[in-house]
Amino acid sequence: EAGVAQSPRYKIIEKRQSVAFWCNPISGHATLYWYQQILGQGPKLLIQFQNNGVVDDSQLPKDRFSAERLKGVDSTLKIQPAKLEDSAVYLCASSLQGGSQYFGPGTRLTVL
Amino acid sequence: GNSVTQMEGPVTLSEEAFLTINCTYTATGYPSLFWYVQYPGEGLQLLLKATKADDKGSNKGFEATYRKETTSFHLEKGSVQVSDSAVYFCALSEYNQGGKLIFGQGTELSVKP
């Protein structure tokens, strides 16, 4: 069974630029999560989807972050414009109806 | 709100030593508890879990018991190997909060030969 796929694995951008990350969850997993992991900290939830609907986006900085999951499968997370403090690893995870979560390898973002 | 607190690292042990990584939690309801491991350059992997009080999760020689009375879920292994070197995260989730994971800050383990 293929795992959660993410791309790119690494991204370096200048502050105020925009960036997008892509996630393909495990086949059949209805629930998809985006987490932000700042160096030295545990991951923190940014947004949770159930199929193509948003369940929880209370911790998403909506002035600069956006996410979508249009067909209930793949998802993209966008940052526009990026700030220095957005430097982090962005993790995508998926689960079957809120069961155990399986994580992708993450995208490491560096904002200069 | 819900939270997870782990013992601070880094933890450095010799091969075959006994490992304990402490984890305590605060929750409003009855959470499920998890340990995830992150090997260098890799994503998070589920190591073990427990869904109710007194449950013991186990995998790859690691164990943790869900202790409701002490709100703890300490990770243990009787004999660590160099290949266990990684960052370990304790986490909780509550079904009535959509199942999102709330993580501790992580504990880095380094095992020396």
Side-chain angles (χ1 to χ4, degrees):
Chain A
E1 178 182 85
V4 177
Q6 290 188 248
S7 68
R9 290 295 308 277
Y10 305 92
K11 190 75 176 177
I12 300 174
I13 61 172
E14 302 276 338
K15 61 183 178 183
R16 291 187 289 273
Q17 286 186 322
S18 63
V19 64
F21 312 126
W22 174 82
C23 172
N24 181 242
I26 292 172
S27 178
H29 280 195
T31 312
L32 185 147
Y33 309 81
W34 283 101
Y35 290 85
Q36 180 191 56
Q37 185 179 14
I38 292 172
L39 186 66
Q41 299 180 19
K44 288 183 171 59
L45 182 73
L46 290 175
I47 188 166
Q48 176 184 346
F49 292 94
Q50 181 71 23
N51 296 308
N52 60 351
V54 175
V55 173
D56 184 350
D57 64 356
S58 58
Q59 299 302 306
L60 188 73
K62 299 181 186 63
D63 57 333
R64 299 184 299 107
F65 286 65
S66 64
E68 60 184 13
R69 193 184 184 200
L70 291 176
K71 297 183 180 178
V73 181
D74 293 7
S75 177
T76 56
L77 176 70
K78 296 178 182 177
I79 307 175
Q80 183 179 10
K83 292 186 176 181
L84 295 176
E85 59 260 37
D86 298 332
S87 293
V89 176
Y90 291 84
L91 296 165
C92 180
S94 68
S95 71
L96 278 170
Q97 300 288 354
S100 293
Q101 294 181 31
Y102 296 88
F103 284 79
T107 297
R108 182 177 297 277
L109 173 67
T110 301
V111 182
L112 302 176
Chain B
N2 294 353
S3 65
V4 175
T5 302
Q6 290 181 235
M7 65 184 283
E8 292 203 9
V11 173
T12 302
L13 295 173
S14 297
E15 208 165 21
E16 299 183 3
F18 185 86
L19 169 71
T20 300
I21 300 178
N22 290 338
C23 170
T24 58
Y25 68 90
T26 302
T28 53
Y30 301 95
S32 295
L33 302 174
F34 305 83
W35 277 100
Y36 279 83
V37 59
Q38 190 170 39
Y39 297 103
E42 298 185 17
L44 286 165
Q45 298 177 25
L46 177 62
L47 182 59
L48 54 85
K49 68 177 183 181
T51 57
K52 61 183 187 298
D54 300 325
D55 268 3
K56 178 185 283 189
S58 62
N59 186 24
K60 299 181 181 179
F62 291 89
E63 293 183 339
T65 301
Y66 189 142
R67 300 285 189 202
K68 188 169 181 290
E69 63 277 12
T70 55
T71 62
S72 65
F73 193 55
H74 304 322
L75 182 68
E76 296 182 336
K77 187 175 185 183
S79 176
V80 293
Q81 305 300 312
V82 172
S83 57
D84 294 327
S85 298
V87 180
Y88 292 81
F89 291 92
C90 185
L92 68 81
S93 73
E94 288 201 71
Y95 182 78
N96 63 0
Q97 295 189 9
K100 69 180 179 185
L101 287 166
I102 295 173
F103 287 89
Q105 75 272 32
T107 302
E108 182 180 358
L109 171 67
S110 178
V111 181
K112 306 298 184 186

Short mmCIF file of all heavy atoms in Angstrom, two decimals, chain A residues 46-96:
data_model
loop_
_atom_site.label_atom_id
_atom_site.label_comp_id
_atom_site.label_asym_id
_atom_site.label_seq_id
_atom_site.Cartn_x
_atom_site.Cartn_y
_atom_site.Cartn_z
N LEU A 46 -2.76 22.60 11.37
CA LEU A 46 -3.18 23.81 10.66
C LEU A 46 -4.62 23.68 10.19
O LEU A 46 -5.44 24.58 10.37
CB LEU A 46 -2.27 24.06 9.46
CG LEU A 46 -0.85 24.49 9.76
CD1 LEU A 46 -0.04 24.57 8.47
CD2 LEU A 46 -0.82 25.84 10.48
N ILE A 47 -4.93 22.56 9.54
CA ILE A 47 -6.26 22.37 8.97
C ILE A 47 -6.54 20.89 8.81
O ILE A 47 -5.64 20.10 8.60
CB ILE A 47 -6.39 23.11 7.62
CG1 ILE A 47 -7.83 23.10 7.10
CG2 ILE A 47 -5.43 22.53 6.57
CD1 ILE A 47 -8.08 24.09 5.96
N GLN A 48 -7.83 20.56 8.97
CA GLN A 48 -8.28 19.19 8.83
C GLN A 48 -9.46 19.15 7.86
O GLN A 48 -10.39 19.95 7.98
CB GLN A 48 -8.73 18.63 10.18
CG GLN A 48 -9.31 17.23 10.15
CD GLN A 48 -9.81 16.76 11.50
OE1 GLN A 48 -9.52 17.35 12.53
NE2 GLN A 48 -10.58 15.68 11.51
N PHE A 49 -9.40 18.22 6.90
CA PHE A 49 -10.47 18.01 5.94
C PHE A 49 -11.13 16.66 6.18
O PHE A 49 -10.46 15.66 6.50
CB PHE A 49 -9.93 17.99 4.50
CG PHE A 49 -9.41 19.29 4.00
CD1 PHE A 49 -8.06 19.60 4.09
CD2 PHE A 49 -10.25 20.21 3.38
CE1 PHE A 49 -7.56 20.80 3.61
CE2 PHE A 49 -9.77 21.41 2.89
CZ PHE A 49 -8.41 21.70 3.01
N GLN A 50 -12.43 16.61 5.99
CA GLN A 50 -13.16 15.36 5.90
C GLN A 50 -13.75 15.34 4.49
O GLN A 50 -14.61 16.16 4.16
CB GLN A 50 -14.27 15.29 6.96
CG GLN A 50 -15.07 14.01 6.94
CD GLN A 50 -14.29 12.81 7.44
OE1 GLN A 50 -13.31 12.94 8.17
NE2 GLN A 50 -14.71 11.63 7.04
N ASN A 51 -13.24 14.42 3.66
CA ASN A 51 -13.52 14.46 2.22
C ASN A 51 -13.09 15.84 1.70
O ASN A 51 -11.95 16.20 1.89
CB ASN A 51 -14.97 14.11 1.95
CG ASN A 51 -15.26 12.67 2.36
OD1 ASN A 51 -14.55 11.75 1.95
ND2 ASN A 51 -16.28 12.47 3.17
N ASN A 52 -13.97 16.62 1.10
CA ASN A 52 -13.52 17.94 0.61
C ASN A 52 -14.03 19.08 1.48
O ASN A 52 -13.93 20.25 1.09
CB ASN A 52 -13.91 18.13 -0.85
CG ASN A 52 -15.41 18.06 -1.04
OD1 ASN A 52 -16.14 17.69 -0.12
ND2 ASN A 52 -15.89 18.39 -2.21
N GLY A 53 -14.53 18.76 2.67
CA GLY A 53 -15.00 19.80 3.58
C GLY A 53 -14.04 20.03 4.73
O GLY A 53 -13.38 19.11 5.19
N VAL A 54 -13.98 21.29 5.19
CA VAL A 54 -13.09 21.66 6.30
C VAL A 54 -13.75 21.33 7.63
O VAL A 54 -14.88 21.74 7.89
CB VAL A 54 -12.76 23.16 6.24
CG1 VAL A 54 -11.94 23.56 7.46
CG2 VAL A 54 -12.00 23.49 4.97
N VAL A 55 -13.03 20.56 8.46
CA VAL A 55 -13.52 20.20 9.79
C VAL A 55 -13.00 21.19 10.84
O VAL A 55 -13.73 21.59 11.74
CB VAL A 55 -13.10 18.77 10.16
CG1 VAL A 55 -13.46 18.45 11.61
CG2 VAL A 55 -13.71 17.76 9.21
N ASP A 56 -11.72 21.54 10.71
CA ASP A 56 -11.09 22.41 11.71
C ASP A 56 -10.00 23.22 11.03
O ASP A 56 -9.06 22.66 10.49
CB ASP A 56 -10.49 21.55 12.83
CG ASP A 56 -9.88 22.37 13.98
OD1 ASP A 56 -9.74 23.60 13.84
OD2 ASP A 56 -9.55 21.76 15.02
N ASP A 57 -10.14 24.52 11.02
CA ASP A 57 -9.08 25.41 10.51
C ASP A 57 -8.83 26.52 11.51
O ASP A 57 -8.39 27.62 11.14
CB ASP A 57 -9.40 25.95 9.12
CG ASP A 57 -10.64 26.84 9.11
OD1 ASP A 57 -11.29 26.97 10.17
OD2 ASP A 57 -10.96 27.40 8.04
N SER A 58 -9.09 26.25 12.77
CA SER A 58 -9.00 27.28 13.80
C SER A 58 -7.58 27.80 14.02
O SER A 58 -7.38 28.91 14.50
CB SER A 58 -9.56 26.75 15.12
OG SER A 58 -8.87 25.59 15.53
N GLN A 59 -6.56 26.99 13.69
CA GLN A 59 -5.17 27.40 13.89
C GLN A 59 -4.50 27.83 12.59
O GLN A 59 -3.29 28.06 12.58
CB GLN A 59 -4.38 26.25 14.52
CG GLN A 59 -4.90 25.83 15.89
CD GLN A 59 -4.88 26.98 16.88
OE1 GLN A 59 -3.86 27.63 17.09
NE2 GLN A 59 -6.03 27.26 17.49
N LEU A 60 -5.26 27.95 11.53
CA LEU A 60 -4.70 28.36 10.24
C LEU A 60 -4.65 29.88 10.14
O LEU A 60 -5.69 30.52 10.29
CB LEU A 60 -5.55 27.80 9.10
CG LEU A 60 -5.02 27.96 7.68
CD1 LEU A 60 -3.85 27.02 7.44
CD2 LEU A 60 -6.13 27.73 6.66
N PRO A 61 -3.48 30.46 9.92
CA PRO A 61 -3.40 31.94 9.76
C PRO A 61 -4.01 32.34 8.42
O PRO A 61 -3.33 32.41 7.40
CB PRO A 61 -1.89 32.21 9.82
CG PRO A 61 -1.26 30.96 10.34
CD PRO A 61 -2.14 29.84 9.90
N LYS A 62 -5.27 32.63 8.44
CA LYS A 62 -6.03 32.76 7.19
C LYS A 62 -5.67 34.00 6.39
O LYS A 62 -6.04 34.11 5.22
CB LYS A 62 -7.53 32.73 7.50
CG LYS A 62 -8.00 31.43 8.15
CD LYS A 62 -9.48 31.44 8.40
CE LYS A 62 -9.94 30.22 9.18
NZ LYS A 62 -9.33 30.16 10.54
N ASP A 63 -4.94 34.93 7.01
CA ASP A 63 -4.53 36.11 6.23
C ASP A 63 -3.45 35.75 5.21
O ASP A 63 -3.25 36.48 4.23
CB ASP A 63 -4.04 37.22 7.16
CG ASP A 63 -2.90 36.77 8.05
OD1 ASP A 63 -2.80 35.55 8.34
OD2 ASP A 63 -2.09 37.63 8.45
N ARG A 64 -2.76 34.62 5.42
CA ARG A 64 -1.67 34.27 4.51
C ARG A 64 -1.70 32.82 4.06
O ARG A 64 -1.09 32.46 3.05
CB ARG A 64 -0.32 34.56 5.16
CG ARG A 64 -0.12 36.02 5.51
CD ARG A 64 1.26 36.30 6.06
NE ARG A 64 1.50 35.55 7.30
CZ ARG A 64 2.28 34.51 7.38
NH1 ARG A 64 2.90 34.05 6.31
NH2 ARG A 64 2.46 33.90 8.53
N PHE A 65 -2.35 31.96 4.80
CA PHE A 65 -2.40 30.53 4.49
C PHE A 65 -3.78 30.18 3.91
O PHE A 65 -4.80 30.67 4.38
CB PHE A 65 -2.19 29.68 5.75
CG PHE A 65 -0.77 29.63 6.26
CD1 PHE A 65 -0.14 30.77 6.74
CD2 PHE A 65 -0.07 28.43 6.28
CE1 PHE A 65 1.16 30.72 7.23
CE2 PHE A 65 1.22 28.37 6.78
CZ PHE A 65 1.84 29.51 7.25
N SER A 66 -3.74 29.28 2.93
CA SER A 66 -5.00 28.74 2.40
C SER A 66 -4.76 27.28 2.03
O SER A 66 -3.63 26.86 1.76
CB SER A 66 -5.49 29.53 1.19
OG SER A 66 -4.56 29.42 0.12
N ALA A 67 -5.84 26.51 2.04
CA ALA A 67 -5.72 25.10 1.69
C ALA A 67 -7.01 24.66 1.02
O ALA A 67 -8.08 25.21 1.30
CB ALA A 67 -5.45 24.25 2.92
N GLU A 68 -6.88 23.70 0.13
CA GLU A 68 -8.06 23.16 -0.53
C GLU A 68 -7.89 21.68 -0.79
O GLU A 68 -6.77 21.17 -0.86
CB GLU A 68 -8.35 23.90 -1.82
CG GLU A 68 -7.24 23.84 -2.85
CD GLU A 68 -7.57 24.68 -4.09
OE1 GLU A 68 -8.52 25.48 -4.05
OE2 GLU A 68 -6.87 24.51 -5.10
N ARG A 69 -9.04 21.03 -0.94
CA ARG A 69 -9.07 19.60 -1.25
C ARG A 69 -10.30 19.41 -2.14
O ARG A 69 -11.31 18.89 -1.72
CB ARG A 69 -9.17 18.78 0.03
CG ARG A 69 -8.89 17.30 -0.19
CD ARG A 69 -9.09 16.49 1.08
NE ARG A 69 -8.73 15.10 0.86
CZ ARG A 69 -9.13 14.09 1.62
NH1 ARG A 69 -9.91 14.33 2.67
NH2 ARG A 69 -8.74 12.87 1.36
N LEU A 70 -10.17 19.85 -3.37
CA LEU A 70 -11.34 20.04 -4.23
C LEU A 70 -12.10 18.75 -4.53
O LEU A 70 -13.31 18.74 -4.51
CB LEU A 70 -10.91 20.71 -5.53
CG LEU A 70 -10.46 22.16 -5.39
CD1 LEU A 70 -9.97 22.71 -6.71
CD2 LEU A 70 -11.60 23.01 -4.84
N LYS A 71 -11.43 17.65 -4.78
CA LYS A 71 -12.13 16.43 -5.17
C LYS A 71 -12.10 15.39 -4.06
O LYS A 71 -12.38 14.21 -4.29
CB LYS A 71 -11.51 15.85 -6.45
CG LYS A 71 -11.67 16.78 -7.65
CD LYS A 71 -11.11 16.16 -8.91
CE LYS A 71 -11.28 17.09 -10.10
NZ LYS A 71 -10.71 16.53 -11.34
N GLY A 72 -11.76 15.84 -2.85
CA GLY A 72 -11.74 14.92 -1.72
C GLY A 72 -10.58 13.95 -1.73
O GLY A 72 -10.61 12.96 -0.99
N VAL A 73 -9.55 14.22 -2.55
CA VAL A 73 -8.38 13.34 -2.58
C VAL A 73 -7.14 14.17 -2.29
O VAL A 73 -6.80 14.40 -1.14
CB VAL A 73 -8.27 12.59 -3.92
CG1 VAL A 73 -7.06 11.66 -3.91
CG2 VAL A 73 -9.54 11.80 -4.20
N ASP A 74 -6.49 14.68 -3.37
CA ASP A 74 -5.29 15.50 -3.20
C ASP A 74 -5.62 16.81 -2.50
O ASP A 74 -6.76 17.30 -2.55
CB ASP A 74 -4.68 15.84 -4.57
CG ASP A 74 -4.12 14.62 -5.26
OD1 ASP A 74 -4.33 13.50 -4.75
OD2 ASP A 74 -3.50 14.79 -6.31
N SER A 75 -4.59 17.39 -1.89
CA SER A 75 -4.76 18.68 -1.23
C SER A 75 -3.55 19.55 -1.51
O SER A 75 -2.43 19.05 -1.70
CB SER A 75 -4.92 18.49 0.27
OG SER A 75 -5.02 19.73 0.95
N THR A 76 -3.77 20.86 -1.55
CA THR A 76 -2.68 21.82 -1.64
C THR A 76 -2.78 22.81 -0.48
O THR A 76 -3.87 23.20 -0.08
CB THR A 76 -2.68 22.59 -2.96
OG1 THR A 76 -3.96 23.23 -3.11
CG2 THR A 76 -2.43 21.67 -4.12
N LEU A 77 -1.63 23.19 0.03
CA LEU A 77 -1.51 24.20 1.07
C LEU A 77 -0.67 25.33 0.49
O LEU A 77 0.39 25.08 -0.07
CB LEU A 77 -0.83 23.62 2.31
CG LEU A 77 -0.54 24.59 3.46
CD1 LEU A 77 -1.83 25.02 4.14
CD2 LEU A 77 0.39 23.94 4.48
N LYS A 78 -1.17 26.56 0.60
CA LYS A 78 -0.48 27.70 0.02
C LYS A 78 -0.17 28.74 1.09
O LYS A 78 -0.98 28.95 2.01
CB LYS A 78 -1.32 28.34 -1.08
CG LYS A 78 -1.57 27.44 -2.27
CD LYS A 78 -2.44 28.13 -3.32
CE LYS A 78 -2.72 27.18 -4.49
NZ LYS A 78 -3.62 27.79 -5.49
N ILE A 79 0.97 29.39 0.93
CA ILE A 79 1.34 30.51 1.80
C ILE A 79 1.62 31.70 0.90
O ILE A 79 2.41 31.61 -0.05
CB ILE A 79 2.60 30.20 2.64
CG1 ILE A 79 2.44 28.89 3.40
CG2 ILE A 79 2.84 31.34 3.63
CD1 ILE A 79 3.71 28.46 4.15
N GLN A 80 0.94 32.82 1.17
CA GLN A 80 1.12 34.01 0.35
C GLN A 80 0.70 35.25 1.12
O GLN A 80 -0.49 35.39 1.44
CB GLN A 80 0.30 33.89 -0.94
CG GLN A 80 0.48 35.06 -1.89
CD GLN A 80 -0.34 34.89 -3.16
OE1 GLN A 80 -1.18 34.01 -3.29
NE2 GLN A 80 -0.10 35.75 -4.12
N PRO A 81 1.62 36.14 1.48
CA PRO A 81 3.07 36.07 1.30
C PRO A 81 3.74 35.37 2.48
O PRO A 81 3.22 35.41 3.61
CB PRO A 81 3.45 37.55 1.28
CG PRO A 81 2.47 38.18 2.24
CD PRO A 81 1.19 37.41 2.07
N ALA A 82 4.88 34.76 2.24
CA ALA A 82 5.58 34.05 3.30
C ALA A 82 6.33 35.02 4.21
O ALA A 82 6.81 36.08 3.77
CB ALA A 82 6.56 33.05 2.70
N LYS A 83 6.42 34.63 5.48
CA LYS A 83 7.20 35.37 6.47
C LYS A 83 8.33 34.47 6.98
O LYS A 83 8.27 33.24 6.84
CB LYS A 83 6.32 35.79 7.64
CG LYS A 83 5.27 36.82 7.31
CD LYS A 83 4.56 37.27 8.58
CE LYS A 83 3.56 38.38 8.29
NZ LYS A 83 2.88 38.86 9.52
N LEU A 84 9.31 35.10 7.60
CA LEU A 84 10.45 34.33 8.12
C LEU A 84 9.99 33.23 9.09
O LEU A 84 10.52 32.12 9.07
CB LEU A 84 11.43 35.25 8.83
CG LEU A 84 12.14 36.29 7.97
CD1 LEU A 84 13.01 37.19 8.85
CD2 LEU A 84 12.97 35.64 6.89
N GLU A 85 8.97 33.56 9.90
CA GLU A 85 8.52 32.60 10.91
C GLU A 85 7.74 31.42 10.34
O GLU A 85 7.37 30.50 11.06
CB GLU A 85 7.66 33.29 11.98
CG GLU A 85 6.42 33.97 11.43
CD GLU A 85 6.61 35.47 11.27
OE1 GLU A 85 7.73 35.89 10.90
OE2 GLU A 85 5.63 36.20 11.50
N ASP A 86 7.53 31.42 9.03
CA ASP A 86 6.88 30.28 8.39
C ASP A 86 7.87 29.15 8.09
O ASP A 86 7.46 28.07 7.63
CB ASP A 86 6.20 30.70 7.09
CG ASP A 86 5.10 31.71 7.30
OD1 ASP A 86 4.49 31.72 8.40
OD2 ASP A 86 4.85 32.53 6.39
N SER A 87 9.14 29.40 8.31
CA SER A 87 10.15 28.35 8.12
C SER A 87 9.83 27.19 9.05
O SER A 87 9.76 27.36 10.27
CB SER A 87 11.55 28.88 8.42
OG SER A 87 11.93 29.84 7.47
N ALA A 88 9.62 26.01 8.46
CA ALA A 88 9.15 24.86 9.22
C ALA A 88 9.07 23.67 8.27
O ALA A 88 9.30 23.79 7.07
CB ALA A 88 7.77 25.12 9.81
N VAL A 89 8.73 22.52 8.85
CA VAL A 89 8.38 21.35 8.04
C VAL A 89 6.86 21.25 8.02
O VAL A 89 6.21 21.32 9.07
CB VAL A 89 8.99 20.05 8.61
CG1 VAL A 89 8.53 18.85 7.78
CG2 VAL A 89 10.51 20.13 8.61
N TYR A 90 6.30 21.11 6.84
CA TYR A 90 4.85 21.00 6.68
C TYR A 90 4.52 19.53 6.40
O TYR A 90 4.97 18.96 5.41
CB TYR A 90 4.35 21.93 5.58
CG TYR A 90 4.50 23.37 6.04
CD1 TYR A 90 5.71 24.05 5.90
CD2 TYR A 90 3.46 24.02 6.69
CE1 TYR A 90 5.87 25.34 6.39
CE2 TYR A 90 3.59 25.31 7.18
CZ TYR A 90 4.81 25.97 7.03
OH TYR A 90 4.97 27.24 7.51
N LEU A 91 3.77 18.97 7.31
CA LEU A 91 3.46 17.55 7.28
C LEU A 91 2.00 17.34 6.87
O LEU A 91 1.11 18.01 7.38
CB LEU A 91 3.67 16.93 8.66
CG LEU A 91 5.09 16.93 9.20
CD1 LEU A 91 5.10 16.63 10.69
CD2 LEU A 91 5.94 15.91 8.46
N CYS A 92 1.80 16.39 6.00
CA CYS A 92 0.46 15.97 5.62
C CYS A 92 0.22 14.58 6.21
O CYS A 92 1.13 13.74 6.23
CB CYS A 92 0.32 15.93 4.11
SG CYS A 92 -1.31 15.42 3.52
N ALA A 93 -0.97 14.35 6.71
CA ALA A 93 -1.33 13.05 7.26
C ALA A 93 -2.73 12.69 6.79
O ALA A 93 -3.53 13.56 6.44
CB ALA A 93 -1.29 13.07 8.79
N SER A 94 -3.02 11.39 6.76
CA SER A 94 -4.37 10.97 6.40
C SER A 94 -4.81 9.82 7.31
O SER A 94 -3.98 9.14 7.92
CB SER A 94 -4.46 10.56 4.93
OG SER A 94 -3.74 9.36 4.68
N SER A 95 -6.11 9.65 7.38
CA SER A 95 -6.66 8.56 8.20
C SER A 95 -8.01 8.13 7.64
O SER A 95 -8.66 8.87 6.89
CB SER A 95 -6.80 9.01 9.66
OG SER A 95 -7.85 9.95 9.80
N LEU A 96 -8.42 6.96 8.07
CA LEU A 96 -9.75 6.46 7.74
C LEU A 96 -10.71 7.00 8.78
O LEU A 96 -10.65 6.62 9.95
CB LEU A 96 -9.77 4.93 7.80
CG LEU A 96 -9.27 4.15 6.59
CD1 LEU A 96 -9.14 2.68 6.93
CD2 LEU A 96 -10.19 4.35 5.41
#
